[in-house]
């Protein structure tokens, strides 16, 4: 446009969007395979992987197929794998005993994966009782049926020790019990596992997006978890939880879910000097897969955009069920 006022506009941001190479060169946020961690489920008593209906492409692994998935994760260049155990229904009880049994499915899986990949992959373990209790809550219940915080901490301490003994590099306490990080840190140190890291589920919200996950772990939940997971309406509460976790010795902190809580993720990332993770949970995965199946969105572009948004908000590590697929695509690009 020519005018008596000279060239207008003088500032043209579109110059930096003119072609793919230009856009790549000036990109402010870059995904890398090392940013990614794969959550994986291993189920006791099966001889072939069991597809999870609400999470197309995700399965409950056998011990053998989990080994193969871990090796594939190493080959793809991702950083870690977070393991969740699914015991046989008959082994669930009010105390979640299978979760602290040295020969429980999760501990077996930890040993299997460490044997398969050694230190080539950071082997992480979900530290929570919900998969192992017959009531499906993340802790033990008192006489009134409420989750007993301090009694649950005793179970978490034991769980941390058996998971570390089985080979976990990192334990991830996800139950949102008050004081869990400090108790777990002390329990690990007492038995010579000072090098095992604690990834604190610092801001874990009571979310409608967990639905498919409950199928994945065969949850027996009755009721809800609103008395211990955070209220989605609250922001300052997450920063209070953050301060407590850091004071108790958390090595890394996490926000879960990811996309509905990017504001929380950004605040946490701005406030800390430890690594920050975010968990792109089952409902986030299922929405994109379902919309893509309907032909409503471009699946691959939506996956990449969602993960870029999570990293842009401040996550250095992203737990995502697409970890290996995305990493393979990044390496091929």
């Amino acid at each position: 446009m020519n005018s008596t006022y000279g060239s207008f506009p003088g500032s043209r941001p579109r110059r930096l969007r003119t072609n793919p190479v230009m856009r790549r060169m000036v990109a402010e946020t870059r995904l890398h395979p090392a940013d990614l961690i794969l959550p994986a489920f291993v189920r006791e008593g099966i001889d072939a992987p069991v597809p999870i209906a609400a999470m197309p492409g995700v399965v409950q692994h056998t011990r053998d197929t989990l080994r193969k998935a871990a090796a594939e994760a190493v080959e793809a260049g991702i950083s870690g794998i977070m393991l969740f155990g699914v015991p046989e229904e008959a082994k669930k009880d009010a105390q979640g005993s299978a979760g602290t049994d040295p020969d429980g499915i999760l501990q077996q899986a930890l040993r299997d994966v460490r044997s398969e990949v050694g230190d080539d992959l950071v082997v992480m373990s979900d530290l929570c009782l919900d998969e192992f209790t017959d009531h499906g809550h993340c802790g033990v219940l008192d006489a009134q049926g409420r989750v007993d915080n301090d009694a649950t901490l005793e179970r978490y301490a034991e769980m941390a020790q058996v998971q570390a003994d089985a080979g976990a590099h990192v334990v991830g306490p996800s139950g949102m019990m008050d004081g869990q990080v400090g108790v777990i840190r002390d329990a690990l140190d007492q038995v010579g596992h000072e090098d095992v890291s604690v990834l604190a589920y610092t801001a874990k919200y009571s979310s409608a997006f967990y639905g498919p996950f409950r199928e994945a772990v065969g949850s027996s939940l009755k009721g809800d978890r609103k008395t211990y997971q955070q209220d989605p309406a609250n922001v300052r509460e997450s920063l209070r939880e953050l301060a407590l976790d850091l004071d108790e010795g958390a090595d890394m902190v996490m926000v879960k879910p990811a996309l509905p809580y990017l504001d929380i993720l950004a605040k946490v990332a701005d406030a800390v000097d430890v690594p920050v993770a975010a968990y792109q949970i089952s409902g986030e995965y299922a929405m994109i897969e379902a919309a893509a199946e309907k032909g409503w969105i471009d699946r691959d572009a939506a996956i990449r955009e969602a993960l870029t948004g999570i990293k842009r908000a401040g996550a250095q590590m992203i737990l995502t069920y697409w970890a290996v697929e995305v990493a393979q695509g990044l390496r091929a690009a």
Side-chain angles (χ1 to χ4, degrees):
M1 174 180 176
N2 294 318
S3 75
T4 56
Y5 301 105
S7 178
F8 178 84
S11 179
R12 295 181 182 268
R14 287 182 57 189
R15 293 183 185 123
L16 302 182
R17 306 171 196 151
T18 51
N19 61 61
V21 176
M22 176 69 80
R23 293 191 293 274
R24 184 182 66 189
M25 183 179 74
V26 301
E28 299 173 34
T29 304
R30 300 180 192 275
L31 283 174
H32 188 276
D35 301 331
L36 306 176
I37 297 165
L38 176 69
F41 308 101
V42 57
R43 178 173 167 182
E44 189 172 24
I46 58 173
D47 56 14
V50 176
I52 299 167
M55 301 174 68
V58 181
V59 301
Q60 295 171 325
H61 284 285
T62 69
R63 290 174 60 187
D64 285 341
T65 63
L66 180 64
R67 282 177 174 270
K68 294 175 184 176
E72 183 183 38
V74 172
E75 182 65 25
I78 71 171
S79 287
I81 187 168
M82 174 68 82
L83 301 183
F84 297 84
V86 185
E88 293 177 330
E89 197 68 25
K91 293 185 179 179
K92 294 182 180 181
D93 61 23
Q95 301 296 314
S97 300
T100 51
D101 180 353
D103 292 320
I105 183 60
L106 183 52
Q107 282 68 252
Q108 291 181 15
L110 287 165
R111 289 191 291 270
D112 289 343
V113 172
R114 280 302 301 272
S115 174
E116 183 71 30
V117 302
D119 293 332
D120 291 338
L121 195 64
V122 177
V123 179
M124 303 179 169
S125 186
D126 179 60
L127 199 165
C128 196
L129 291 171
D130 60 319
E131 298 101 311
F132 306 102
T133 55
D134 54 13
H135 48 73
H137 278 288
C138 297
V140 296
L141 305 182
D142 64 17
Q144 288 74 46
R146 302 169 301 190
V147 175
D148 186 326
N149 191 95
D150 295 359
T152 298
L153 294 182
E154 294 295 321
R155 301 286 295 124
Y156 285 2
E158 185 181 354
M159 200 171 194
Q161 291 172 343
V162 298
Q163 289 182 356
D165 286 344
H169 293 107
V170 177
V171 295
S174 59
M176 291 300 289
M177 297 297 118
D178 294 338
Q180 63 184 14
V181 171
V183 165
I184 288 166
R185 179 73 272 156
D186 187 54
L188 291 169
D189 293 350
Q190 283 184 21
V191 293
H193 286 301
E194 296 90 349
D195 290 340
V196 173
S197 300
V198 178
L199 169 59
Y201 282 61
T202 289
K204 183 178 180 182
Y205 283 87
S206 179
S207 173
F209 292 94
Y210 293 135
F213 178 88
R214 291 173 184 161
E215 177 191 347
V217 297
S219 175
S220 301
L221 181 65
K222 301 173 180 66
D224 59 48
R225 299 186 173 119
K226 292 181 180 179
T227 64
Y228 45 102
Q229 293 179 351
Q230 286 182 240
D231 186 337
N234 293 348
V235 176
R236 290 191 299 272
E237 183 180 41
S238 66
L239 300 179
R240 184 184 182 198
E241 294 277 6
L242 175 65
L244 291 168
D245 283 350
L246 293 173
D247 187 58
E248 292 173 25
D251 299 290
M252 300 168 275
V253 296
M254 183 155 69
V255 174
K256 181 181 181 181
L259 287 176
Y261 298 94
L262 293 181
D263 59 326
I264 307 300
L265 176 59
K267 288 180 183 295
V268 168
D270 286 344
V272 302
D273 58 3
V274 299
V276 176
Y279 196 145
Q280 185 185 50
I281 67 168
S282 60
E284 299 173 62
Y285 177 96
M287 286 193 303
I288 290 176
E289 290 287 353
E293 183 183 9
K294 292 283 190 181
W296 294 340
I297 59 173
D298 180 323
R299 177 184 180 273
D300 293 349
I303 292 170
R304 189 74 63 89
E305 183 177 343
L307 291 171
T308 299
I310 295 167
K311 187 170 183 185
R312 189 183 64 242
Q316 295 163 262
M317 303 169 291
I318 304 172
L319 283 79
T320 174
Y321 300 99
W322 289 301
V324 169
E325 176 188 339
V326 170
Q328 289 169 339
L330 290 169
R331 288 165 70 102

